[in-house]
Amino acid sequence: MIQNFYPFFVLHTNQSTYAFRVMESGHLEHLYYGRRITVTEARDAEILTEKHVFAPSNTNVYDENYTSFSLEDVCLEMSSYGRGDIREPLVEVVHGDGSSTSDFRFEDAAVTQGKAEFKTLPGSYDETNQVQHLTVALKDRHYGLLLELHYYVYEDCDVITRSARLVNESGETVQLHRLLSAQLDFDTPEYVFTTFHGAWAREMKRTDVRMSAGRHVSASYTGTSSNRANPFVMLSKETTSEDFGDCYGCNLIYSGNHYEAVEVSGYGKTRFVTGVNPQSFCYLLAPGEDFEAPEAVMAYSHEGFNGMSQCMHHFVREHIVRGEWKRKARPVLLNSWEAAYFDIDEDKLLNLARAGKEAGIELFVMDDGWFGNRVDDTQSLGDWQVDTRKLPHGVEGLSRKIKEMGLDFGIWVEPEMVNVKSNLYEKHPEWVLQIPGKPHSEGRTQRILDLTRQDVQDYIITEMSRVFSCGEISYVKWDMNRTFTDYYSSGLKPDRQGEVAHRYVLGLYRCMKVLSERFPKILFEGCCAGGNRFDLGILCYFPQIWASDDTDALCRAEIQTGYSYGYPLSVVGAHVSACPNHQTRRMTPLKTRFHVACFGVCGYECNFCDMTEEELDEVKGQIAFYKEWRKLLQTGDFYRGRTFTGQTADGSCLMLSRGNVTEWTCVSRDRSCAVGLLLQKLVAPNTQYEYYRARGLAPERKYCFTYGYQPANEDGKAAECLAYGDALMYGGVKLKQAFSEGGRHGDMRIVGDFVSEIYLMVSE
Ligand code: DGJ
């Protein structure tokens, strides 16, 4: 609900309230964002207003008519440089006269119904037209620029989204140096800024920084949303836990360079901003032109990190992911990559698919290596013609044979790239991002096609349309394996080179939009050397993303925990792979690898033809289990319990379970059933007691709790007990005493390193 009690604007979701006002000077003062409060008239919002009487010494007042405050010490909805505020601005423009001072003041506001679409960018959507939209227009009266701030209220998810649009209504061209998406000011300093950092194969490592002064930045300059720093971030209090306390989550619907910063001012006020990274960004706006900033998604919960994650999960499932696959069960796939890498041929693939079919696999995916002369990663990207030495009957013949086996067929592509050693590069060397006449940096011996150019976009759309129609293709893995260097487009004038990174993303979105709409039945999975472009922009077109090239169960537990703060299980690709693991050489039980993968969109990526019969039987059981429970696992509410975060770097805190255990629960939306996981990192001697505590159950309902899904008792039935939801959540189930030297008994738990168990809870 949006209340317009001019000069107050109050936005309510079910559990949160967001408020700001127009100051006498015309600036927008941010008043409140937090737990829902009651506002029935303007006066109710007045108490939220800071009482400004004088500007602190050594600060500047806005002008001689308004001497009771300095913009440096006011919580603002948007800010710019030059009239007193010296903190991170939302907007930065260099005008025709060379000045970079802006002065935006309130012009008018309107509340409308429904989600408006962006002209150039993907955004959230609302099928039911329930969402309310507040547009606030501000004008820089000296330079003729119009700034629109957009707010959308998704009440059911406790989410408010924000974006901004700048229109050049002046008579001269201006340089836009930044237009961020959202700014959030708090009147106190004590916030913890949580970011998710990493690198290839170790994405989404949670990092907490306690802010007290200065600025902390989390940003990407890889050209993608990146594995270095995901655009999803959180702000919380030091006392916030998984289940209690204030938690703000923010994500950006954008797949390129992004920027999130928290700054604590000299007056103890905290500012958070998020948007397109201003690093090297310079966008020319001619008279009459406009620029849209991507949509930022903000969620608040007073029920800790889990509470906020619930809002984000619900929002992503309902208002980001779209199309045929939005609500469809995702198939269990078998991918050829770790089984064969580039060394594929029709016989090998058919044998693998046959073994997969035996085990219960539903979709067979041919990964890299099927086109051009793709024997390794040094050549052929761009030449999307089948290698008939490997596939004599083409993709068509292979896919038909796989269909005949009763499996769906999927294919791998990397459309945005070209190898220098390719026909495409020979024909169109000008189609790559490169600085003419200058040496080029190398990354996986490939170059990035210049998607700022419409002819290159058209080529990708045509080529991929041909590939996606060249057989019975039900699934596409869209990969992208290089980070950006040499940002330069031969299609743009020198003074427009600051637009390349953003225009690339817009070009990519055009390709993804056309292709996903042209092939609505295909299930697309985004991939970027694993999680190097895992974001809400991609998820607007592709319903799932390969989360990491690291398939080690232990690493994956941590990586998937990281994703779970901002993303639901249904968008996280997770595979069971071979051991020793190809990324870490670690041995983990097959059971554990599956347990971790089934808290995601579960698939397999190993050579079934190399497995023992015993292992294949185990896999068969796993797939059967996953099919039975995947509806819950792909659509249920996910909660974190204890996690590995907090483990000391050398793994030395083995004493008792702090940091040594990952505990997850996924509960059906109607709370009638749940699946739980307990995963132990390392065995510690003489630590015998362990428990599993559920989350999200109905406290008053009785559940049948099953210890492990595999038969455990002599009569072939898994051990069970009956318990109320509250006991399972607040008390937890005490597990059997674990093995310890001196205590040899038949009725105990034998645990080892990297061992896990799954628990089922079904209400009566
Ligand atoms: C990187 C991906 O993340 C892998 O899964 C695989 O598809 C390779 N690329 C293929 O080159």
Side-chain angles (χ1 to χ4, degrees):
M1 177 181 44
I2 297 177
Q3 296 171 315
N4 179 351
F5 293 129
Y6 185 85
F8 296 96
F9 294 91
V10 188
L11 287 57
H12 297 283
T13 70
N14 289 345
Q15 308 270 356
S16 69
T17 297
Y18 186 105
F20 62 92
R21 71 163 184 135
V22 182
M23 297 169 75
E24 294 70 25
S25 59
H27 297 98
L28 298 184
E29 180 176 15
H30 177 79
L31 301 179
Y32 178 75
Y33 185 30
R35 196 166 174 169
R36 186 172 171 134
I37 55 175
T38 310
V39 178
T40 52
E41 53 179 321
R43 235 181 310 164
D44 297 329
E46 239 165 58
I47 63 145
L48 303 168
T49 310
E50 231 173 27
K51 299 180 173 57
H52 310 291
V53 199
F54 64 93
S57 295
N58 195 227
T59 62
N60 299 307
V61 295
Y62 167 64
D63 73 12
E64 71 278 9
N65 297 319
Y66 301 99
T67 55
S68 61
F69 65 90
S70 165
L71 288 172
E72 183 185 348
D73 192 25
V74 177
C75 289
L76 295 167
E77 274 304 290
M78 64 77 41
S79 68
S80 54
Y81 282 138
R83 302 302 299 260
D85 194 1
I86 51 173
R87 296 166 290 173
E88 282 274 350
L90 185 89
V91 55
E92 221 182 328
V93 182
V94 176
H95 305 282
D97 62 4
S99 147
S100 47
T101 289
S102 290
D103 184 11
F104 289 99
R105 288 185 290 164
F106 180 82
E107 188 76 6
D108 60 34
V111 177
T112 49
Q113 197 73 24
K115 178 68 179 57
E117 281 193 18
F118 286 95
K119 277 191 301 188
T120 55
L121 288 160
S124 64
Y125 70 103
D126 177 34
E127 276 167 342
T128 59
N129 215 35
Q130 297 286 306
V131 69
Q132 276 196 302
H133 176 194
L134 169 65
T135 308
V136 180
L138 300 113
K139 262 209 162 151
D140 186 322
R141 292 172 198 169
H142 312 294
Y143 288 106
L145 298 181
L146 168 72
L147 177 65
E148 287 171 3
L149 301 182
H150 295 273
Y151 300 80
Y152 293 94
V153 180
Y154 287 92
E155 290 187 32
D156 56 329
C157 308
D158 290 308
V159 159
I160 293 171
T161 72
R162 277 189 66 172
S163 65
R165 176 170 166 258
L166 188 74
V167 189
N168 184 359
E169 294 185 340
S170 78
E172 50 191 16
T173 297
V174 298
Q175 294 171 26
L176 180 61
H177 284 252
R178 72 160 76 185
L179 180 63
L180 300 183
S181 301
Q183 167 179 327
L184 195 54
D185 281 7
F186 299 91
D187 55 5
T188 54
E190 71 275 1
Y191 286 89
V192 176
F193 184 32
T194 301
T195 57
F196 294 87
H197 278 84
W200 175 78
R202 48 183 169 81
E203 295 87 348
M204 294 303 281
K205 172 91 184 155
R206 176 179 160 175
T207 312
D208 294 334
V209 177
R210 184 181 172 276
M211 296 300 301
S212 56
R215 189 181 294 182
H216 187 83
V217 172
S218 175
S220 77
Y221 195 60
T222 54
T224 59
S225 47
S226 95
N227 48 31
R228 317 300 204 272
N230 195 272
F232 172 73
V233 298
M234 304 190 292
L235 281 167
S236 62
K237 299 281 175 59
E238 265 190 292
T239 48
T240 303
S241 68
E242 283 291 356
D243 303 314
F244 303 103
D246 289 331
C247 180
Y248 301 85
C250 189
N251 209 343
L252 198 62
I253 308 183
Y254 192 60
S255 308
N257 295 333
H258 61 91
Y259 182 81
E260 287 70 44
V262 174
E263 179 173 6
V264 179
S265 76
Y267 297 94
K269 288 191 163 73
T270 303
R271 170 165 299 168
F272 166 72
V273 290
T274 177
V276 174
N277 194 343
Q279 169 79 42
S280 314
F281 174 88
C282 178
Y283 211 97
L284 294 187
L285 279 188
E289 286 184 347
D290 68 337
F291 182 87
E292 296 176 317
E295 194 175 353
V297 179
M298 307 185 299
Y300 165 80
S301 172
H302 64 275
E303 291 178 320
F305 302 116
N306 267 322
M308 184 280 307
S309 294
Q310 292 301 313
C311 307
M312 280 292 181
H313 293 176
H314 192 192
F315 179 78
V316 174
R317 284 198 305 246
E318 290 304 319
H319 304 293
I320 294 289
V321 173
R322 59 200 83 192
E324 289 253 335
W325 287 94
K326 174 173 177 168
R327 297 189 205 285
K328 253 195 190 165
R330 309 288 165 77
V332 185
L333 66 80
L334 173 61
N335 178 298
S336 66
W337 181 240
E338 287 198 11
Y341 293 99
F342 295 101
D343 191 16
I344 53 171
D345 59 46
E346 187 177 291
D347 284 347
K348 217 185 236 185
L349 294 174
L350 288 174
N351 285 339
L352 193 55
R354 217 167 281 122
K357 174 68 188 168
E358 272 285 293
I361 291 291
E362 297 163 311
L363 163 68
F364 181 77
V365 179
M366 172 173 68
D367 208 280
D368 201 348
W370 60 268
F371 53 93
N373 186 30
R374 188 77 172 161
V375 288
D376 56 28
D377 64 9
T378 64
Q379 53 195 315
S380 295
L381 286 176
D383 300 343
W384 299 106
Q385 271 75 33
V386 68
D387 180 351
T388 47
R389 290 163 307 176
K390 290 180 178 174
L391 305 182
H393 305 102
V395 173
E396 196 279 322
L398 175 70
S399 65
R400 191 171 14 87
K401 288 178 191 168
I402 291 204
K403 274 269 171 193
E404 280 163 12
M405 277 182 209
L407 288 171
D408 282 334
F409 176 77
I411 198 166
W412 175 97
V413 288
E414 192 173 358
E416 299 157 69
M417 297 288 156
V418 63
N419 288 115
V420 171
K421 216 167 149 190
S422 69
N423 299 330
L424 180 65
Y425 188 82
E426 251 172 51
K427 204 166 157 204
H428 284 296
E430 78 288 5
W431 274 10
V432 303
L433 292 175
Q434 63 190 349
I435 310 163
K438 302 284 186 306
H440 199 281
S441 300
E442 290 302 335
R444 214 196 188 204
T445 53
Q446 62 195 51
R447 308 250 161 119
I448 301 179
L449 286 174
D450 182 357
L451 268 71
T452 69
R453 297 171 61 130
Q454 183 151 352
D455 51 356
V456 176
Q457 297 163 23
D458 290 344
Y459 165 81
I460 289 178
I461 291 168
T462 308
E463 272 301 273
M464 287 305 118
S465 297
R466 190 183 54 73
V467 171
F468 301 164
S469 322
C470 75
E472 300 190 39
I473 292 172
S474 312
Y475 163 103
V476 167
K477 178 174 172 186
W478 182 300
D479 206 347
M480 195 282 200
N481 285 296
R482 195 192 194 279
T483 56
F484 284 49
T485 58
D486 307 274
Y487 286 92
Y488 199 97
S489 165
S490 55
L492 292 170
K493 296 212 171 90
D495 60 354
R496 289 206 173 258
Q497 294 301 323
E499 302 175 13
V500 168
H502 182 65
R503 283 185 182 275
Y504 180 93
V505 179
L506 301 185
L508 171 68
Y509 286 150
R510 179 175 164 243
C511 297
M512 291 166 71
K513 183 171 169 24
V514 173
L515 288 165
S516 55
E517 285 175 2
R518 191 171 287 173
F519 297 91
K521 292 202 177 323
I522 289 185
L523 170 60
F524 285 91
E525 178 155 355
C527 174
C528 193
N532 195 34
R533 199 167 59 189
F534 198 114
D535 58 71
L536 299 183
I538 298 295
L539 290 172
C540 284
Y541 303 104
F542 299 168
Q544 59 191 58
I545 304 176
W546 177 229
S548 174
D549 274 355
D550 189 345
T551 52
D552 175 288
L554 211 63
C555 300
R556 264 305 185 118
E558 200 161 348
I559 291 168
Q560 288 173 216
T561 294
Y563 282 117
S564 77
Y565 283 93
Y567 302 91
L569 303 189
S570 56
V571 305
V572 178
H575 296 174
V576 177
S577 65
C579 270
N581 176 268
H582 293 200
Q583 293 76 42
T584 62
R585 312 300 299 160
R586 197 188 339 257
M587 298 294 295
T588 52
L590 179 54
K591 186 170 160 185
T592 303
R593 284 175 261 154
F594 167 66
H595 286 170
V596 173
C598 75
F599 279 80
V601 182
C602 178
Y604 286 75
E605 186 155 345
C606 42
N607 197 342
F608 280 15
C609 301
D610 278 353
M611 284 180 157
T612 63
E613 251 180 54
E614 208 180 12
E615 283 173 325
L616 281 172
D617 273 351
E618 191 175 336
V619 167
K620 225 184 231 181
Q622 294 174 348
I623 296 176
F625 170 83
Y626 185 70
K627 284 179 181 166
E628 193 182 336
W629 289 90
R630 78 174 140 195
K631 182 157 184 260
L632 187 162
L633 288 161
Q634 292 177 3
T635 64
D637 294 336
F638 175 80
Y639 295 83
R640 290 167 302 275
R642 291 167 288 167
T643 61
F644 289 158
T645 317
Q647 174 92 351
T648 57
D650 63 357
S652 63
C653 67
L654 296 179
M655 299 322 295
L656 309 175
S657 64
R658 193 173 163 269
N660 199 34
V661 159
T662 283
E663 193 181 31
W664 293 337
T665 306
C666 187
V667 188
S668 64
R669 299 236 77 204
D670 64 1
R671 300 195 197 190
S672 64
C673 45
V675 178
L677 167 94
L678 193 69
L679 163 61
Q680 167 174 286
K681 215 175 220 179
L682 296 176
V683 176
N686 196 20
T687 56
Q688 305 157 37
Y689 297 105
E690 191 49 88
Y691 64 92
Y692 161 75
R693 261 184 62 200
R695 301 278 198 291
L697 302 176
E700 70 294 347
R701 274 206 220 164
K702 214 166 210 181
Y703 293 84
C704 173
F705 180 92
T706 311
Y707 296 84
Y709 74 87
Q710 280 166 339
N713 285 349
E714 280 139 29
D715 60 2
K717 284 193 77 190
E720 291 175 355
C721 69
L722 276 179
Y724 280 105
D726 49 12
L728 290 168
M729 291 193 292
Y730 313 142
V733 178
K734 307 293 187 287
L735 306 177
K736 285 179 184 169
Q737 201 171 354
F739 163 84
S740 176
E741 172 63 34
R744 294 177 193 280
H745 193 281
D747 197 21
M748 62 180 186
R749 277 183 310 135
I750 305 283
V751 284
D753 293 346
F754 324 131
V755 157
S756 64
E757 198 48 271
I758 270 195
Y759 307 107
L760 302 177
M761 288 146 274
V762 180
S763 74
E764 285 189 310

